[in-house]
């Protein structure tokens, strides 16, 4: 699929439209058939509609000409989007609807009166330029709203080639911006990227056999074959890189539009902007960071970092031409880097939201690869986990942005920011990325001039950046083994402080689900307990015993051993359900079953014993849980009046094979069973009921859902004997595998 094929499709459609016009008696004066939108641009995909307008002068009577034209097109199986307007109505429609206005900028003559088409086209462009300053803010709002709704082409799990940020709609908007004569763009670069994305769109149409702009997971393998790249990941990188380039041009152009709109008058001719020196060798010109007069990148290798840091901290545009010159002419930094270079890098990374756009400019112009050759490992690399909203490289930049807000919480902001930059640098290979990333991070930290002890700190943070989040959500914080596991790898309060901040930044950058109120509380609680152990170790004292705070037991539960208390508390991101009852076999299964019966999604949960009571707390994104109804259903299940098994044991299709693993190293006082499978209602209930039937007690449970996968960890014991024997642990694991597989197609 190439531009030549699009041109051939367009020529065929043009001939069809022209023939339909002529054969139905269309005149050559005062009326014309014109193409608009993508058809007007000669960019028909295999299954595109033909956007056509029959235009006529107000004094020209056309009768039923329109219907006579449309019927032959329909008979030819053409899909048309058609309208009939006078020239005045066309202009009025453009004034009333911005989408119509931008579509008309691509108006092209098909048949009829060419002078009418030429006159109308001239009026449309004159109107567009005359009203540009009033209309562009609306176009800006529409563009931002679309981006927020659809997402970024470079980072979406299922990218939309047309509507996404960096997609074809943005490329069309850029042409509309240029038509205002207010700004200019790198035409050759945009056209190259636009044509490449049109090629991809054509292939997706052909593969799908229909008009399709979204690239689903099932398309990538075939798309890779047709693009002649090694695999689906390479195809994703290719497509995402195109989107990034268009997005970067769009962001840069809109920055310049904003600057023009902020002026009281629109400049009528180009003028040389004045330079305001803001740092050695760096100046400000028309709200863009550029090089000062006389600046010599070949003599000052720090210029590139200085210009980038100034632009990011001020949230200004680093002029792409300046970045390209810096990439081309800058002398390589000495190894190790001088202290000032490292400080400038940290300033850049800690600049906050301004980092994103500046970093994109540095990437697009090749500066990042010169400063950090390792970056090519993760550029445009898709994440394996759908919980991540961005590709790996953009996730890293977002992590730096999130970490920049936490630098006052740590003693070594420079170490935090560099660790944030490098924490996922090991992704893309077969080895666990934190393991693969550690030696790379150490090499980079050494190259940029950190001292040996600082290099160790950066390397350790990269190696263990998942430790707090994984441990907090899948292990019992009350079990001494849990804190001991963390303290084994996090050996100082300084490292713990940095790791806690890095964990928060990493989770927030991944998605809102990854840093919910619940997960944040678990991670901070684990960090506090680990700090107590580290301080006690340093002073030679015994760490204080910490445990989950006791919950107040309602009077009805204290008075009646069969009663179950269910309370619901609204939270910022859903609701928190607390259930308290006298501890017995199956009490956790009853609560879990009631949640499953009501189809209440469980995002996370914890359960633990408190004296003779069982306490469980469940986090759900559903903020409208009916506590009374839930309480009634728990009681009905406990009393045998409601059998939930048919509802929760229905066979469902599962993408992930259920796994059940016994973790003997995770606790000295209980047997830990870890269950991983697709997230779906009823899993916790099935597990707890199966264990209850085996007369195995669930001492505590830790439920965590991220994306499509549920990770459920159960600390179990014999009723009176503590840790399960190997035989009993094997029996429990086998029973759980059987029940989960039996309900999974």
């Amino acid at each position: 699929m190439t531009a030549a094929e699009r041109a051939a499709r367009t020529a065929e459609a043009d001939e069809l439209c022209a023939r339909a016009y002529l054969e139905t008696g269309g005149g050559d004066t005062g009326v014309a058939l014109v193409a608009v939108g993508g058809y007007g641009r000669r960019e028909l995909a295999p299954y595109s509609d033909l956007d056509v307008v029959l235009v006529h002068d107000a004094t020209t009577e056309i009768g039923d000409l329109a219907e006579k034209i449309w019927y032959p097109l329909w008979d030819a199986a053409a899909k048309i989007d058609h309208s009939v307007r006078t020239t005045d109505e066309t202009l009025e429609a453009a004034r009333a609807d911005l989408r119509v206005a931008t579509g008309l900028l691509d108006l092209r003559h098909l048949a009829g009166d060419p002078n009418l088409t030429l006159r109308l086209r001239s009026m449309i462009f004159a109107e567009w330029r005359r009203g540009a300053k009033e209309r562009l803010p609306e176009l800006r709002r529409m563009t931002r709203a679309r981006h927020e709704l659809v997402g970024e082409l470079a980072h979406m799990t299922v990218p939309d080639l047309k509507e996404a940020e960096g997609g074809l709609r943005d490329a069309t908007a850029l042409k509309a911006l240029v038509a205002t004569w207010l700004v200019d763009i790198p035409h050759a670069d945009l056209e190259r990227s636009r044509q490449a994305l049109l090629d991809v769109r054509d292939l997706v149409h052909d593969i799908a056999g229909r008009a399709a702009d979204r690239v689903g997971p099932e398309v990538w393998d075939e798309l890779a074959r047709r693009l002649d790249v090694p695999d689906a990941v390479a195809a994703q990188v290719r497509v995402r890189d195109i989107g990034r380039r268009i997005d970067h041009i769009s962001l840069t152009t809109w920055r310049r539009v904003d600057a023009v709109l902020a002026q009281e008058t629109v400049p009528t001719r180009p003028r040389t902007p004045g330079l305001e020196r803001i740092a050695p060798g760096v100046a400000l010109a028309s709200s863009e960071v550029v090089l000062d007069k006389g600046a010599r990148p070949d003599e000052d290798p720090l210029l590139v970092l200085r210009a980038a840091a100034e632009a990011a901290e001020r949230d200004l545009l680093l002029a792409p031409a300046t970045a390209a010159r810096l990439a081309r002419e800058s002398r390589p930094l000495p190894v190790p880097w001088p202290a000032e270079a490292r400080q400038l890098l940290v300033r850049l990374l800690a600049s906050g939201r301004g980092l994103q756009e500046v970093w994109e400019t540095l990437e697009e112009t090749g500066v990042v690869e010169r400063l950090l050759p390792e970056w090519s490992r993760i550029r445009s690399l898709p994440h394996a986990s759908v919980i991540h909203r961005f590709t790996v490289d953009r996730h890293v930049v977002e992590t730096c942005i999130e970490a920049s807000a936490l630098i006052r919480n740590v003693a070594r902001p420079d170490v935090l920011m560099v660790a944030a930059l490098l924490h996922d640098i090991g992704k893309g290979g077969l080895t666990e990325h934190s393991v693969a990333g550690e030696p790379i991070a150490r090499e980079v930290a050494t190259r940029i001039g950190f001292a040996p002890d600082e290099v160790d700190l950066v390397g350790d943070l990269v190696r263990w950046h998942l430790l707090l989040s994984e441990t907090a959500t899948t292990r019992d914080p009350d079990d001494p083994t849990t804190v001991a596991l963390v303290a084994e790898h996090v050996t100082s309060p300084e490292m713990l402080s940095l790791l806690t901040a890095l964990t928060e930044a990493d989770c927030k950058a991944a998605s809102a689900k990854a840093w919910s109120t619940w997960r944040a509380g678990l991670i901070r609680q684990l960090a506090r307990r680990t700090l107590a152990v580290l301080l006690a170790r340093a002073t030679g004292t015994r760490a204080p015993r910490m445990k989950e705070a006791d919950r107040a037991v309602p009077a009805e539960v204290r008075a009646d051993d069969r009663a179950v208390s269910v309370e619901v508390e609204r939270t910022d991101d859903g609701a928190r359900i607390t259930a308290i009852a006298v501890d017995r076999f199956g009490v956790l299964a009853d609560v879990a079953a009631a949640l499953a019966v009501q189809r209440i999604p469980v995002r996370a949960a914890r359960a633990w014993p408190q004296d003779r009571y069982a306490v469980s707390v469940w986090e759900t994104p559903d903020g409208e849980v009916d506590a009374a109804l839930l309480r009634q259903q728990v009681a009905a299940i406990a009393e045998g009046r409601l059998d939930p098994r048919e509802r929760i044991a229905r066979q469902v299709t599962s993408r992930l094979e259920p796994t059940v693993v016994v973790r003997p190293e995770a606790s000295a006082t209980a047997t830990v069973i870890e269950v991983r499978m697709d997230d779906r209602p009823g899993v916790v209930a099935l597990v707890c009921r199966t264990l209850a039937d085996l007369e195995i007690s669930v001492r505590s449970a830790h439920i965590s859902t991220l994306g499509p996968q549920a990770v459920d960890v159960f600390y179990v014991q014999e009723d009176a004997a503590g840790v399960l024997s190997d035989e009993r642990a094997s029996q429990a694991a086998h029973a759980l595998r059987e029940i989960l597989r039996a309900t999974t197609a």
Side-chain angles (χ1 to χ4, degrees):
M1 297 293 176
T2 63
E5 291 174 284
R6 283 189 291 280
R9 278 193 295 272
T10 301
E12 184 179 347
D14 286 357
E15 183 180 349
L16 179 65
C17 290
R19 187 167 61 249
Y21 183 89
L22 293 173
E23 290 178 354
T24 52
D28 56 7
T29 303
V31 60
L33 184 65
V34 298
V36 297
Y39 183 26
R41 293 189 299 274
R42 294 185 171 88
E43 293 172 359
L44 288 180
Y47 293 91
S48 288
D49 292 351
L50 305 183
D51 293 333
V52 293
V53 182
L54 186 65
V55 185
H56 62 98
D57 285 331
T59 58
T60 302
E61 181 61 44
I62 63 171
D64 60 354
L65 176 63
E67 289 187 10
K68 289 180 179 179
I69 295 172
W70 309 148
Y71 275 109
L73 297 178
W74 289 328
D75 290 342
K79 294 188 296 181
I80 60 172
D81 187 349
H82 57 84
S83 60
V84 182
R85 294 190 180 107
T86 66
T87 52
D88 288 344
E89 288 171 344
T90 302
L91 290 172
E92 187 56 40
R95 295 185 192 107
D97 190 330
L98 193 56
R99 293 180 179 85
V100 173
T102 54
L104 287 170
L105 291 174
D106 296 305
L107 183 146
R108 182 170 59 84
H109 183 74
L110 292 174
D113 185 350
N115 292 323
L116 173 63
T117 302
L118 182 61
R119 187 169 75 251
L120 178 60
R121 182 176 171 83
S122 298
M123 288 189 293
I124 286 168
F125 273 87
E127 181 93 8
W128 178 249
R129 288 164 186 147
R130 188 164 49 246
K133 288 203 72 173
E134 289 71 38
R135 306 214 69 177
L136 289 187
E138 182 187 356
L139 181 59
R140 179 70 149 146
R141 287 191 296 271
M142 285 175 51
T143 301
R144 283 175 168 166
R146 174 168 50 81
H147 291 170
E148 291 174 4
L149 178 65
V150 181
E152 297 178 59
L153 172 56
H155 306 291
M156 296 165 63
T157 304
V158 181
D160 189 316
L161 302 175
K162 185 176 182 180
E163 301 292 344
E165 183 174 352
L168 292 169
R169 185 78 72 187
D170 277 0
T172 303
L174 285 170
K175 298 183 74 172
L177 292 179
V178 173
T180 65
W181 291 354
L182 297 178
V183 292
D184 201 1
I185 59 173
H187 293 271
D189 202 0
L190 174 63
E191 191 59 18
R192 185 166 50 249
S193 299
R194 199 173 67 85
Q195 291 296 329
L197 196 55
L198 286 168
D199 289 347
V200 173
R201 197 265 304 268
D202 289 357
L203 290 174
V204 171
H205 272 222
D206 199 46
I207 293 168
R210 57 182 173 81
D213 295 317
R214 291 165 63 85
V215 189
E218 73 283 356
V219 174
W220 289 112
D221 284 324
E222 177 61 18
L223 189 58
R225 188 183 70 78
R226 299 199 188 194
L227 289 173
D228 195 25
V229 296
D231 52 32
V233 171
Q236 289 194 52
V237 170
R238 169 79 65 85
V239 174
R240 295 179 193 284
D241 273 347
I242 298 169
R244 292 176 74 130
R245 186 62 192 139
I246 292 174
D247 189 32
H248 182 256
I249 297 172
S250 179
L251 288 170
T252 301
T253 305
W254 275 113
R255 282 275 192 170
R256 289 170 173 166
V257 169
D258 290 343
V260 171
L261 294 178
Q263 298 175 12
E264 292 185 5
T265 59
V266 179
T268 56
R269 65 178 66 87
R271 67 183 184 209
T272 303
L275 295 178
E276 176 191 347
R277 187 173 184 271
I278 56 176
V282 181
L284 192 61
S286 299
S287 301
E288 296 185 18
V289 173
V290 298
L291 295 185
D292 201 2
K293 291 179 180 178
R296 295 289 302 272
D298 56 335
E299 295 179 359
D300 183 359
L302 273 61
L303 256 180
V304 61
L305 287 169
R306 194 178 301 121
E310 290 291 340
E313 287 179 339
R314 297 167 185 264
D315 195 15
L316 295 174
L317 175 67
L318 175 61
T322 296
R325 180 187 170 191
L326 287 166
R328 187 174 59 250
E329 298 180 11
S330 290
R331 186 159 46 91
L333 285 161
V335 178
W337 288 11
E340 185 183 354
R342 189 171 66 256
Q343 291 162 5
L344 287 169
L345 175 65
V346 172
R347 277 181 55 195
L348 170 63
L349 298 177
S351 58
R353 185 50 60 185
L355 171 66
Q356 180 193 333
E357 214 168 304
V358 171
W359 193 267
E360 287 284 349
T361 298
L362 296 177
E363 277 198 274
E364 292 296 331
T365 52
V367 172
V368 170
E369 193 168 348
R370 290 193 59 175
L371 294 173
L372 186 64
E374 295 83 359
W375 191 256
S376 61
R377 295 173 53 97
I378 60 172
R379 179 176 166 83
S380 295
L381 182 69
H383 263 108
S385 169
V386 297
I387 193 62
H388 283 85
R389 52 186 169 151
F390 298 119
T391 52
V392 177
D393 55 342
R394 174 65 182 280
H395 167 74
V396 166
V397 173
E398 290 291 326
T399 302
C400 290
I401 292 169
E402 296 291 350
S404 70
L406 304 173
I407 57 176
R408 287 179 174 80
N409 301 343
V410 298
R412 291 300 305 270
D414 54 342
V415 171
L416 173 63
M417 297 314 305
V418 172
L421 176 69
L422 300 173
H423 78 283
D424 274 351
I425 201 68
K427 286 194 170 178
L430 299 178
T431 306
E432 164 59 41
H433 76 275
S434 58
V435 175
E438 180 186 4
I440 300 173
R442 289 177 178 274
E443 181 180 343
V444 173
T446 301
R447 185 169 73 238
I448 66 177
F450 276 122
D453 61 323
E454 297 164 337
V455 170
D456 289 340
L457 197 50
V458 171
D460 288 344
L461 288 170
V462 171
R463 173 64 184 90
W464 300 110
H465 72 272
L466 299 175
L467 181 64
L468 287 180
S469 59
E470 290 185 345
T471 305
T473 54
T474 63
R475 294 292 179 263
D476 185 353
D478 290 336
D479 193 307
T481 305
T482 300
V483 177
L485 170 67
V486 177
E488 178 183 346
H489 303 299
V490 183
T491 55
S492 69
E494 179 184 52
M495 181 182 173
L496 178 63
S497 173
L498 288 165
L499 187 61
T500 303
L502 178 58
T503 301
E504 179 175 344
D506 187 17
C507 291
K508 285 181 174 178
S511 71
K513 292 180 180 179
W515 192 252
S516 63
T517 305
W518 175 272
R519 286 174 64 85
L522 292 177
I523 290 168
R524 287 166 178 160
Q525 180 188 63
L526 178 60
R528 285 195 298 270
R529 294 182 179 191
T530 304
L531 178 61
V533 169
L534 293 175
L535 292 176
R537 183 184 296 169
T539 58
T541 59
R542 185 170 183 174
R545 172 76 171 132
M546 296 183 181
K547 60 186 287 291
E548 183 74 42
D550 284 349
R551 302 299 170 101
V553 179
E556 67 268 23
V557 176
R558 293 198 302 271
D560 183 356
D561 285 358
R562 296 170 300 176
V564 178
S565 167
V566 176
E567 296 181 355
V568 177
E569 172 192 358
R570 289 292 299 271
T571 63
D572 291 339
D573 45 11
R576 181 174 298 119
I577 303 165
T578 301
I580 302 177
V582 171
D583 201 4
R584 57 174 171 79
F585 284 123
V587 65
L588 187 61
D590 293 344
V591 178
L595 292 168
V597 166
Q598 287 200 37
R599 313 295 289 183
I600 297 173
V602 175
R603 186 164 52 203
R606 284 204 61 214
W608 66 93
Q610 179 180 305
D611 299 328
R612 70 188 192 95
Y613 301 101
V615 181
S616 59
V617 181
W618 310 76
E619 290 281 322
T620 174
D622 184 354
E624 303 298 329
V625 177
D626 186 327
L629 178 59
L630 186 58
R631 189 181 306 113
Q632 291 171 7
Q633 293 209 317
V634 172
I637 292 170
E639 295 166 10
R641 293 184 285 109
L642 173 63
D643 186 351
R645 285 176 293 184
E646 287 188 8
R647 302 194 198 184
I648 65 176
R650 282 196 294 260
Q651 191 175 72
V652 297
T653 300
S654 179
R655 185 174 61 85
L656 302 173
E657 175 74 13
T659 63
V660 180
V661 179
V662 178
R663 302 286 187 191
E665 77 287 353
S667 176
T669 59
T671 298
V672 177
I673 299 177
E674 181 180 282
V675 177
R676 292 177 181 256
M677 66 179 300
D678 276 351
D679 179 38
R680 61 181 175 85
V683 173
V684 178
L686 283 172
V687 171
C688 291
R689 176 54 57 196
T690 301
L691 293 172
D693 290 345
L694 292 172
E695 296 189 348
I696 293 174
S697 175
V698 178
R699 191 193 79 183
S700 69
H702 310 271
I703 315 304
S704 181
T705 302
L706 278 179
Q709 180 177 242
V711 181
D712 303 336
V713 178
F714 302 88
Y715 283 66
V716 301
Q717 295 175 324
E718 297 287 11
D719 191 28
V723 177
L724 272 58
S725 66
D726 290 346
E727 182 180 354
R728 282 280 278 169
S730 178
Q731 179 190 14
H734 177 73
L736 292 176
R737 291 189 194 101
E738 288 296 309
I739 189 64
L740 294 175
R741 287 172 180 166
T743 59
T744 302

